[in-house]
Amino acid sequence: MRTLPTNVVLFVVLLMAAGAVAHESAAAESPYRRLDSLILLHERAVAEKCLRIDSLRATLARAATPEQEYAVNERLLAEYAEFQNDSALHYAGRNTLIAIDLDDPRRYIDSRLNMMQMLAKSYLLDETIQMAATIDTTRFTPGQRLRFYKILSDIYLFKMEFHQGSSYEAQYQDRLTAYRERVALLSEPGSEMNVRYRAGYLHDTGHTHQAILLLENLLTRYHSGERPFSIITSTLAFYYGSKGDIAKQKQLLAQSAASDLEGCIMENSALRQLAALLFDEGDVDRAYRYINISVADATFYGTRLRNVQASQLVPSIISAYHAKQEKHNRRQRAMIVALSVVALMLVAGVLALAALYKRYRRISDSRQRINRRLNTAVDQLEHSNAALREREKIKEQYLGRFLALSSSLIDRTERQRKALNRLSMDRKQQELAAVLKSQNFYHENTALFYHHFDTAFLSIYPDFIDAVNGLLEPQYRIVPKDSGQLSTELRILALLRLGITDNKEIASILRSSITTIYTYRSKLKSHALDKDAFESQVKALQLQD
């Protein structure tokens, strides 16, 4: 009978200890409560963003003039800029061609700057610098000049991030500081850009405290969910981190990550940085959850820099997560043994052993489920990286072709303009009218476009024609007239493989009518071995390494 009070006291002590641990856990959760709630709403926010974009694309389909199309493309570019890089780059490229057709230098420079900005975010930095060298800076407006130097600043910021800790970091830091100073000088005093870049310059030159004061005052102008709020809080987190204030750094990174989620900003880094800090502190569970979301956002956006940065953390976090789970399991097993001893004092030994066995089985099942989820996460990451490599190869091939084609079309257009001008000045009206009526120039440009498209596509998918013929009935297999060239049917299927499925968009690219495209697609389906799945099979054809 003397052992009963001792057992009761021991049981009460265990309950108090469990309560203290629960209270400590709740306190640790509070800085991230809003961030975690927004993570739960992330898919809904993305769906709402996609609805807005669909509405704009419907508006684009109704555009009656090139000017209207250019304006709607600008709005789509703004929506996609921080959401999905590939689509933003597409609309920037489309507006470049429209500006050439309109012979509008201002619009042409604006669209080229847009392309530079999106290429930089794709981490195609050398290509961005090459494009910058082709722009005539003497024709810049003040606003265009400011954007130009801001993009150059971003390039060297990305280079510095990627080469952090290497011998190149100091070189890129010097270039970044110089461009930050130039942006600060060119921007309107007191503007968001002016304050941010002045703060960056102050930090780079060793005046971090003054930089923090500037940005904290600027932050009061904005709200969570706005892009400036995300950027300012992320920058402040970096400055506080450089001063060693890790608690303030984590708080600001959580605010920045929450703002990214609220504004559906996929081009982000705050969540990844927060995951790294939490991992260093031993909060492996939260780091694992945050890094998975960061990898998914980076893959969706399509930026190689963010994906590589996130991927570098994943193996370490997964390994630590496994180790923590194993340690947790050992602790649970130890706790089970301790509780079984207490239980043996209170109930019969047979019932205690049965409970212990049941508990152990639950732990084993839980571990198996965790391992399956981890394996699934690794598979998803490998699939995402493979898809990203394919996108990068397609971008590199088509970027080079696009630049060459754009340059060639500009030169041809200029020669045509000069020839027409000479005929006009020489008053050769009949010859001028004959040239204007002729469609030779149009057909030559179209043929040049087809040549560049076919060559680029077949260099990416050299076995594409054979693969397509493998999906068709033998008597309907396609044999191009010229080696290295695609027929109209094959060009339609090539665009489907690149993800362009809208008949109107395909017709615009191939300079055909919508009816013609519809007829070709219907005929190809009717000749397929599997008519219902034919187009899905074309989209799934694999890139040849």
Side-chain angles (χ1 to χ4, degrees), residues 290-305:
Y290 288 172
I291 198 65
N292 273 338
I293 297 168
S294 179
V295 167
D297 284 355
T299 301
F300 183 90
Y301 182 72
T303 170
R304 183 170 56 182
L305 174 62

Side-chain angles (χ1 to χ4, degrees), residues 60-162:
L60 178 63
R62 296 191 297 270
T65 65
E67 290 84 358
Q68 290 175 355
E69 181 184 353
Y70 186 97
V72 180
N73 284 344
E74 287 260 283
R75 294 169 62 191
L76 281 164
L77 174 60
E79 289 287 347
Y80 276 120
E82 316 298 342
F83 186 62
Q84 202 165 41
N85 184 270
D86 285 349
S87 298
L89 191 58
H90 165 76
Y91 289 108
R94 177 61 191 151
N95 270 1
T96 301
L97 297 177
I98 292 174
I100 292 172
D101 290 341
L102 293 174
D103 194 18
D104 188 327
R106 182 189 63 78
R107 284 193 175 107
Y108 177 74
I109 292 174
D110 281 342
S111 57
R112 296 284 282 182
L113 290 174
N114 286 335
M115 287 199 68
M116 282 180 59
Q117 181 178 358
M118 301 319 302
L119 286 172
K121 288 183 178 182
S122 300
Y123 203 66
L124 295 172
L125 303 182
D126 292 336
E127 292 81 352
T128 311
I129 293 171
Q130 291 171 10
M131 183 177 286
T134 67
I135 296 181
D136 183 1
T137 58
T138 63
R139 306 184 70 175
F140 278 169
T141 65
Q144 290 170 338
R145 188 173 303 279
L146 178 62
R147 280 195 66 196
F148 183 73
Y149 287 120
K150 179 185 177 300
I151 294 168
L152 292 176
S153 169
D154 290 343
I155 290 172
Y156 287 100
L157 174 62
F158 294 152
K159 279 181 174 285
M160 192 184 73
E161 285 184 15
F162 194 77

